[in-house]
Amino acid sequence: MVESTLGTGRDEVQFRYRDDEPVDHPAVTVDSFVEQSNAAAVRIEPGDDARALLPHLDHIQLVEVNFPVFGDGRGYSAARILREAGYAGELRAVGDVLVDQIAYMRRCGFDSFAPDKPIDEKDAEAAFARFPEVYQATVDARVPIWNLRHAGGSDA
Amino acid sequence: MHALADIADKYDRGYGHFTTRQNIQYNWIKLEDAGDILADLAKVEMHAIQTSGNCIRNISSDHFAGAAADEVIDPRPYAEILRQWSSFHPEFSYLPRKFKIAVIASERDRAAMRLHDIGINIVRNEAGEIGAAFYVGGGMGRTPMVAPLIREFVPLDQLVTYAEACLRVYNRYGRRDNKYKARIKILVHELGKDEYARQVEEEFAHLLGQGVEPPFAELKRIRTFFADPDFKTGLSSDIDESDPDFALWARRNTHAHKAPGYVSAVISLKPVGGIPGDASAAQMHVMADLAKEYSFDECRVMHTQNIVLPHVEIGRLHALWAKLVEADLAAPNLDTVEDIIACPGLDYCSLANARSIPVAQKISERFASTGKTAALGELKLKISGCINACGHHHAGHIGILGVDRKGTENYQLLLGGSEAEDTSLGKITGPGFDEAGIVDAVEKVTDLYLETREDGERFLDTYRRVGMEPFKEAIYG
């Protein structure tokens, strides 16, 4: 099969943690996005520099981050970089997205998931709920255990 | 340690292999038992998380941390905060390749710090403030490299943020097209250390505004867990050396302690003719009991595949030694030619091209039988059974690399490596040898050293002074 299904049926969204209306048109590549000022959806491949999108964040509503193979973890950095820059639109993980990864992805700012193979809903729920506390301050709202421990205390 | 022994008994063949990663490896467990083993480990607050995969592995450190007389600062709180930060790190669990971090805080490097992906040396600057020197891009494997200094001083309250920046640059730009070129050492080498450092600085400046650093109060809290045990004062430091066997062990297998009247005592897992790093379940139980009785219930795995009891009263050393003798754990050979580091080799490992363990056994038997071990003094000999270098052969004063040559095992000899503060990589002497030949070759180079050395020189010092040529002459001439 030719890999030309950018932003079409293959990427069916299985989990979405947002209330707004999804974007109704396919995502375009980072290269072409910069020249198509009317596009509101863009797709990042592992080799793309997420920072190329930073000047345009105010009119992006959907960023798809593609994981062609689960072991290629560049998309985690791309996601965090966008959230750190204040991007508030939908951030969707697409491709080889497996149950082992979704909790990490959520912590890096993804709020929708379109896995190639559907994930068992119960397994996904368990994955998200696996650890009650976290160590790292990332871009989700979870407060790291070390901040909870010292809440109200002096930082010095 | 009792729990590790129980696992060896219950699920393996009654022994375990202590590794250069300051870990234990079980080589004969059944896949179907893995869940039960993890449950047993969890009962004693142990786990096997991030022991494989392209993630940040366990943080290693100086095995004499918190005990060594020459320590500048105790490195363990900093290793611990990095352990917390790296556990289930959501951004860095699918890196280009595995990632190893070592933290030391002494001028003596006992953790091969500059042969790690990130080596951190906790230092005090001229103003007396504590901070971290970052060395990035070291490693062994098929392309050994000594990590260059990337930043001289990272303030303690920015330590995690700087590490995060180092990892993010690597996660984004480390090579993913070829797993043999995917370690961070290749990125740092290809970019050049200055360009890599520049990119890290840029990311660091950005991340400083993201609030990723733990509160400093957490570091203070962690420090309380590494407080000194209740050392007695007024102890004597005299050792009764009337028993020559004990005196030899005490001289070789102990390390100077910061508290008067104490030493760190090393239990060698390198009995002559034995398998380096292996211990039986019964021996593990003995070591656990002795740790409790003699060392504030603490023992540690050394990267040299030995076990250390960090805080032992000198006055009780003889009693400890006597019990070690009973358990066949009193080999007096720390840092000698018999204290060989070896990977599991072809006997256990599916990647290996040659056996390591029989070579290690034959070498230690040879030197024990000729009685030259004592004369040779400090001599670090390391053996790997393939180019992945798990036996650290690049960093041995003498290194041996086993390869497969047209279906037969062949051993190449390297000289001049070091994993200590004077880190260097060994050089190949020339054509390789068969199993008997490599043992002879090691004997020849050590004989030349004994003839050539000047006062106080270790093997490595003599090699560095006279160079490779005379050694080649001795082997091949």
Side-chain angles (χ1 to χ4, degrees):
Chain A
M1 197 181 102
V2 184
E3 288 282 319
S4 61
T5 49
L6 259 190
T8 60
R10 192 191 67 163
D11 303 327
E12 205 167 308
V13 177
Q14 190 187 0
F15 303 99
R16 190 166 188 274
Y17 301 91
R18 302 179 63 89
D19 297 329
D20 55 351
E21 280 296 306
V23 179
D24 62 357
H25 67 82
V28 298
T29 63
V30 171
D31 282 351
S32 57
F33 174 80
V34 182
E35 281 133 44
Q36 298 179 45
S37 53
N38 58 345
V42 59
R43 177 167 179 136
I44 293 181
E45 296 296 332
D48 291 336
D49 179 5
R51 290 202 162 105
L53 297 178
L54 298 193
H56 314 285
L57 291 186
D58 55 344
H59 63 272
I60 302 178
Q61 293 168 46
L62 168 66
V63 177
E64 291 181 351
V65 178
N66 187 27
F67 292 85
V69 289
F70 78 85
D72 190 332
R74 285 177 281 187
Y76 297 89
S77 290
R80 257 185 92 185
I81 283 168
L82 292 173
R83 292 297 191 210
E84 284 167 1
Y87 173 65
E90 183 170 343
L91 193 51
R92 182 183 297 166
V94 306
D96 194 13
V97 173
L98 308 173
V99 70
D100 290 343
Q101 281 93 52
I102 53 176
Y104 288 147
M105 288 176 172
R106 195 82 191 275
R107 297 223 62 219
C108 288
F110 288 102
D111 54 11
S112 71
F113 300 89
D116 284 346
K117 286 186 200 135
I119 296 169
D120 181 276
E121 309 256 335
K122 280 218 161 54
D123 290 347
E125 214 173 288
F128 286 130
R130 183 72 185 83
F131 294 105
E133 307 296 348
V134 294
Y135 280 125
Q136 309 80 7
T138 60
V139 289
D140 59 359
R142 299 178 74 179
V143 181
I145 184 76
W146 46 41
N147 291 92
L148 293 174
R149 238 178 231 142
H150 303 287
S154 157
D155 261 16
Chain B
M1 189 67 97
H2 282 304
L4 295 177
D6 289 341
I7 287 170
D9 257 342
K10 195 166 159 193
Y11 303 103
D12 202 298
R13 298 183 179 176
Y15 58 92
H17 181 72
F18 290 94
T19 78
T20 57
R21 294 289 306 146
Q22 300 183 284
N23 281 331
I24 188 167
Q25 205 171 62
Y26 297 104
N27 288 295
W28 302 103
I29 62 172
K30 292 195 197 83
L31 184 58
E32 65 197 53
D33 288 336
D36 293 337
I37 295 171
L38 293 176
D40 285 358
L41 283 174
K43 285 180 203 154
V44 290
E45 298 186 345
M46 295 177 93
H47 64 77
I49 293 161
Q50 290 173 213
T51 51
S52 68
N54 293 335
C55 55
I56 303 172
R57 304 290 183 86
N58 63 297
I59 315 285
S60 55
S61 187
D62 186 339
H63 39 242
F64 295 135
D70 61 13
E71 184 165 277
V72 179
I73 304 155
D74 187 345
R76 292 172 299 172
Y78 313 102
E80 167 58 15
I81 205 151
L82 290 166
R83 180 200 67 76
Q84 295 189 10
W85 161 77
S86 61
S87 296
F88 303 113
H89 197 296
E91 185 178 341
F92 306 132
S93 290
Y94 296 92
L95 295 165
R97 203 73 178 86
K98 58 188 168 183
F99 205 92
K100 299 172 183 176
I101 301 175
V103 184
I104 65 166
S106 163
E107 282 173 19
R108 293 291 309 277
D109 179 1
R110 290 176 282 259
M113 183 268 291
R114 291 185 71 186
L115 295 168
H116 283 72
D117 294 288
I118 291 182
I120 295 174
N121 191 7
I122 303 291
V123 292
R124 224 181 265 281
N125 69 7
E126 282 168 13
E129 299 153 340
I130 301 174
F134 269 70
Y135 295 83
V136 183
M140 294 193 243
R142 56 186 69 206
T143 320
M145 290 188 192
V146 177
L149 181 66
I150 295 297
R151 202 178 207 255
E152 232 168 85
F153 194 84
V154 177
L156 270 194
D157 56 357
Q158 299 176 348
L159 179 69
V160 165
T161 308
Y162 193 81
E164 187 119 347
C166 289
L167 265 297
R168 178 174 284 179
V169 172
Y170 170 56
N171 191 44
R172 299 187 77 207
Y173 299 112
R175 285 181 62 171
R176 291 180 187 261
D177 58 327
N178 177 344
K179 78 169 186 172
Y180 299 119
K181 295 182 189 285
R183 295 290 286 267
I184 195 173
K185 62 193 172 188
I186 304 293
L187 177 69
V188 173
H189 182 72
E190 288 182 354
L191 286 177
K193 74 177 171 68
D194 294 335
E195 174 57 18
Y196 172 75
R198 189 194 64 74
Q199 293 187 17
V200 170
E201 285 300 322
E202 217 169 87
E203 199 64 62
F204 179 52
H206 161 72
L207 285 169
L208 281 175
Q210 294 295 326
V212 298
E213 193 70 29
F216 204 67
E218 178 61 9
L219 200 49
K220 287 185 178 168
R221 189 188 74 93
I222 290 173
R223 280 188 189 134
T224 64
F225 287 86
F226 296 102
D228 281 345
D230 225 347
F231 293 129
K232 291 181 197 162
T233 52
L235 295 177
S236 161
S237 292
D238 295 338
I239 297 184
D240 175 4
E241 297 201 337
S242 53
D243 177 340
D245 288 343
F246 166 68
L248 179 68
W249 178 84
R251 209 160 47 239
R252 285 210 185 127
N253 286 36
T254 62
H255 188 266
H257 201 285
K258 65 180 183 182
Y262 286 85
V263 286
S264 299
V266 173
I267 302 173
S268 170
L269 298 183
K270 317 288 177 66
V272 171
I275 296 174
D278 269 17
S280 69
Q283 288 177 322
M284 286 187 236
H285 283 303
V286 169
M287 292 192 283
D289 288 338
L290 294 178
K292 185 161 196 179
E293 199 178 338
Y294 292 94
S295 183
F296 298 93
D297 209 7
E298 186 178 345
C299 62
R300 304 170 182 174
V301 183
M302 301 166 72
H303 92 276
T304 54
Q305 304 179 283
N306 296 311
I307 302 291
V308 59
L309 304 182
H311 318 291
V312 179
E313 279 176 45
I314 290 172
R316 303 177 69 203
L317 213 46
H318 189 275
L320 167 65
W321 170 78
K323 289 179 180 167
L324 289 172
V325 170
E326 271 174 46
D328 198 19
L329 286 168
N333 54 14
L334 180 69
D335 291 339
T336 69
V337 67
E338 296 170 19
D339 185 9
I340 296 168
I341 290 184
C343 70
L346 204 53
D347 293 295
Y348 298 114
C349 174
S350 60
L351 303 174
N353 300 119
R355 290 168 303 155
S356 312
I357 291 168
V359 174
Q361 290 170 325
K362 292 204 167 75
I363 290 173
S364 66
E365 281 164 359
R366 173 77 61 94
F367 283 93
S369 70
T370 58
K372 284 181 191 160
T373 302
L376 290 170
E378 182 187 313
L379 206 177
K380 299 195 177 179
L381 197 148
K382 301 175 198 282
I383 306 173
S384 304
C386 83
I387 57 177
N388 288 333
C390 299
H392 297 183
H393 65 274
H394 301 297
H397 299 177
I398 296 177
I400 294 172
L401 166 64
V403 295
D404 176 280
R405 227 173 113 213
K406 294 171 189 151
T408 56
E409 290 162 294
N410 186 271
Y411 296 92
Q412 298 181 353
L413 186 64
L414 294 86
L415 302 178
S418 170
E419 59 183 7
E421 57 283 359
D422 56 353
T423 316
S424 61
L425 301 171
K427 291 200 171 69
I428 290 186
T429 54
F433 309 88
D434 62 12
E435 191 180 298
I438 189 71
V439 180
D440 292 339
V442 169
E443 189 162 28
K444 283 177 190 160
V445 296
T446 53
D447 283 347
L448 180 80
Y449 154 70
L450 291 175
E451 290 159 20
T452 321
R453 70 173 167 189
E454 292 178 355
D455 275 355
E457 274 186 343
R458 301 168 302 162
F459 177 88
L460 180 64
D461 303 322
T462 302
Y463 169 81
R464 285 177 175 169
R465 179 171 56 79
V466 306
M468 178 67 91
E469 278 314 310
F471 287 98
K472 269 190 177 171
E473 188 66 22
I475 308 167
Y476 304 105

